[in-house]
Amino acid sequence: MHKHLIAGRWSDGRRPLETATAAIDAACVAAEEAFWSFGSSTRAERARFLEAIADEIEARGAEITRVAVGETGLPEARLEGERGRTTGQLRLFARMIEAGDHLDIREDPALPDRQPAPRPRLSLVQRPIGPVAVFGASNFPLAFSVAGGDTASALAAGCPVVVKGHPAHPGTGVLVAEAIRAAIEARGFHPGVFSLVQDGTHEAGQALVTHPLIRAVGFTGSLAGGRALFDLCATRPEPVPFFGELGSVNPMFLLPHAVAARGAEIAAGWAGSLTLGVGQFCTKPGIAVVVRGSHADAFAAAAVAALSETDRQVMLTDAIAQGYRAGRDRVAGSAGVEAMLSSPCADRFAAPSLYRTTGKTWLATEELGEEVFGPLGLIVEVEDMAEMRRVAESLKGQLTCTLHVEPADTDTARMLLPVLERKAGRVLSNGFPTGVEVCDAMVHGGPYPASTNFGHTSVGTLAIRRWLRPVCYQNMPDTLLPPDLA
């Protein structure tokens, strides 16, 4: 199933790197050729195309689920839900571009009689940037991969896409790519609008992001891998934007009245969120910050009890399972960290682990703020609210931060909120961040290292704006303006 789809044609992907590099070059050249027509297509034409992709994915739904279960170990129900999210965001983007809200159209009429100098007519609209490279994610074989949010938003913007499929689920990638190919044929677009290259080497990824015809890159994955690609994008002869979602520990701040009133309830919800999908979500809330005392002790005991009821589960790949064990051992081996629940893990299986430390230790140990991808939680017990604020101020960039509050905590929450909104792209109250709604207001991004561009999101309709750039037209005749401005 390791196949390349290059401009509408399938080829064998189990070849030496030279062939993969040649496939990348052919895909990028085809994407550039396709851009001249696809980038000028109407919003209505692209909307029907996105809807056709969704239809073709649904038509292959049972087969996609069957293959993805075998490749990833994810349960059938999870994959069917993810497939619904994938097709749902395609249709959401179709509605968005038909409305035209993403274009940020601005008009300044001519002022020929203005003194001391007249003003010309000025018109602004967002225009597609060109071919986009997308890297499939390991933990979402559908919603963040071949036809996931990066691909869907780029196509919505009018940008052809070259996807580097993730090696953890090549067969799933082939089925979804075939759905896109069928939609391209049905809607009569240039076949270079979409290509899939399947090669798991770092060299292939480097070849893709440094190809001179690629104009931007979308990535979801590890901090190390994303940073390496980000640096390559920045050092190209013509640098291009790199929109990477790289990970987060997503801390929760449990304020005193909330812990006193419903600490056990919060602990149970945290356990469910922590272990959802074996903790393989970028929004897993890995850290709980609480003021030490009897209520904190009761919260910790309830978390241990809830996590103890979770059986071991299979992780996505052997490498991810090994990474989880290494991260768990790193946390467990840190001075000043106490194990509250530690379970044996072997092969691709993982079970929850829970640790506890002090605010003082957290502030002195930078590595405790690094993401452990898997079902691991860390309770940070602070001496008082002043230390809780210092913990918040010490955070690196996050995808999410959460406040658990009661009305009596309002003044304390007001003290923390300005800190948290500088640290995260999404700030929650009395919830858990593992549910990422695909909608207009969602932000899935944040300051580095949560993402490499804090001004954008990889989920929600604002994601389309990543693949557009503003162009101003001065005194342009209506007959020459883009259709969106004419």
Side-chain angles (χ1 to χ4, degrees):
M1 298 297 284
H2 289 75
K3 296 181 179 180
H4 303 314
L5 175 64
I6 309 298
R9 295 185 178 182
W10 288 105
S11 63
D12 185 4
R14 293 185 182 275
R15 298 280 181 86
L17 174 64
E18 291 76 14
T19 302
T21 303
I24 288 169
D25 181 63
C28 293
V29 170
E32 177 70 11
E33 293 174 354
F35 179 66
W36 297 111
S37 56
F38 189 64
S40 299
S41 61
T42 68
R43 289 180 280 121
E45 289 171 335
R46 294 200 301 279
R48 301 292 81 76
F49 174 44
L50 296 176
E51 292 168 350
I53 296 174
D55 291 342
E56 294 289 351
I57 289 173
E58 288 176 346
R60 295 162 174 79
E63 181 68 0
I64 289 172
T65 297
R66 183 189 67 79
V67 172
V69 167
E71 288 184 325
T72 67
L74 293 172
E76 183 176 318
R78 150 72 194 273
L79 288 163
E80 290 182 348
E82 190 182 332
R83 189 176 74 245
R85 171 177 170 160
T86 304
T87 56
Q89 66 189 0
L90 283 160
R91 294 189 171 105
L92 174 65
F93 291 158
R95 294 192 296 272
M96 178 69 175
I97 62 174
E98 281 203 289
D101 294 339
H102 65 298
L103 296 173
D104 194 20
I105 292 174
R106 305 182 185 203
E107 293 272 5
D108 288 303
L111 299 175
D113 299 324
R114 190 183 68 174
Q115 294 299 326
R119 184 179 75 185
R121 175 192 176 189
L122 300 168
S123 306
L124 180 150
V125 68
Q126 302 286 335
R127 297 294 294 152
I129 58 174
V132 168
V134 170
F135 285 71
S138 63
N139 57 336
F140 282 89
L142 300 175
F144 280 85
S145 289
V146 173
D150 286 349
T151 297
S153 58
L155 294 175
C159 296
V161 175
V162 179
V163 172
K164 182 178 180 293
H166 197 281
H169 38 77
T172 306
V174 165
L175 291 171
V176 175
E178 179 59 25
I180 300 174
R181 188 195 66 80
I184 289 173
E185 289 189 351
R187 303 308 306 175
F189 284 113
H190 188 294
V193 162
F194 173 85
S195 292
L196 169 68
V197 177
Q198 303 226 68
D199 186 288
T201 64
H202 296 308
E203 291 81 2
Q206 293 170 2
L208 181 56
V209 301
T210 57
H211 196 285
L213 295 177
I214 291 297
R215 291 292 178 260
V217 179
F219 174 88
T220 298
S222 70
L223 174 59
R227 182 54 196 254
L229 295 175
F230 173 79
D231 290 345
L232 283 173
C233 287
T235 55
R236 288 173 31 144
E238 181 184 359
V240 296
F242 179 85
F243 299 102
E245 190 268 277
L246 308 181
S248 178
V249 296
N250 305 295
M252 306 188 307
F253 293 83
L254 284 60
L255 301 192
H257 292 282
V259 179
R262 46 190 176 84
E265 177 186 336
I266 296 171
W270 184 36
S273 186
L274 196 67
T275 58
L276 183 66
V278 207
Q280 298 170 117
F281 286 83
C282 48
T283 52
K284 179 203 74 179
I287 309 294
V289 186
V290 60
V291 177
R292 75 179 183 90
S294 59
H295 295 309
D297 291 340
F299 166 77
V304 170
L307 290 170
S308 297
E309 296 177 358
T310 303
D311 294 330
R312 67 174 193 162
Q313 297 172 274
V314 64
M315 300 194 81
L316 290 161
T317 67
D318 290 331
I320 288 174
Q322 292 169 7
Y324 170 64
R325 291 193 291 271
R328 181 199 60 186
D329 294 345
R330 170 175 53 79
V331 172
S334 298
V337 173
E338 171 193 357
M340 303 195 71
L341 175 67
S342 183
S343 306
C345 304
D347 301 323
R348 276 177 63 180
F349 290 92
S353 296
L354 183 66
Y355 299 90
R356 179 165 59 183
T357 192
T358 65
K360 181 179 180 180
T361 298
W362 167 276
L363 292 168
T365 314
E366 184 176 358
E367 64 181 14
L368 292 179
E370 297 175 4
E371 181 185 26
V372 177
F373 196 62
L376 181 144
L378 176 64
I379 298 173
V380 179
E381 293 188 350
V382 296
E383 291 295 324
D384 50 29
M385 292 308 304
E387 189 170 64
M388 183 177 283
R389 182 183 171 106
R390 289 197 294 274
V391 168
E393 291 172 342
S394 74
L395 292 169
K396 297 179 180 178
Q398 305 292 323
L399 294 171
T400 74
C401 288
T402 300
L403 285 167
H404 287 280
V405 297
E406 289 288 298
D409 293 311
T410 298
D411 289 342
T412 305
R414 285 187 179 135
M415 176 268 292
L416 280 175
L417 189 56
V419 179
L420 301 185
E421 67 185 13
R422 291 189 68 186
K423 298 293 183 177
R426 178 163 56 115
V427 184
L428 296 78
S429 171
N430 294 336
F432 300 94
T434 38
V436 182
E437 187 71 25
V438 182
C439 60
D440 290 331
M442 178 53 63
V443 173
H444 189 63
Y448 184 84
S451 63
T452 56
N453 192 311
F454 59 79
H456 291 272
T457 175
S458 61
V459 178
T461 54
L462 187 62
I464 299 171
R465 287 289 297 274
R466 295 174 295 171
W467 322 117
L468 300 166
R469 66 180 181 88
V471 177
C472 176
Y473 299 86
Q474 182 169 323
N475 281 340
M476 191 68 64
D478 285 351
T479 53
L480 293 180
L481 286 172
D484 292 321
L485 280 174

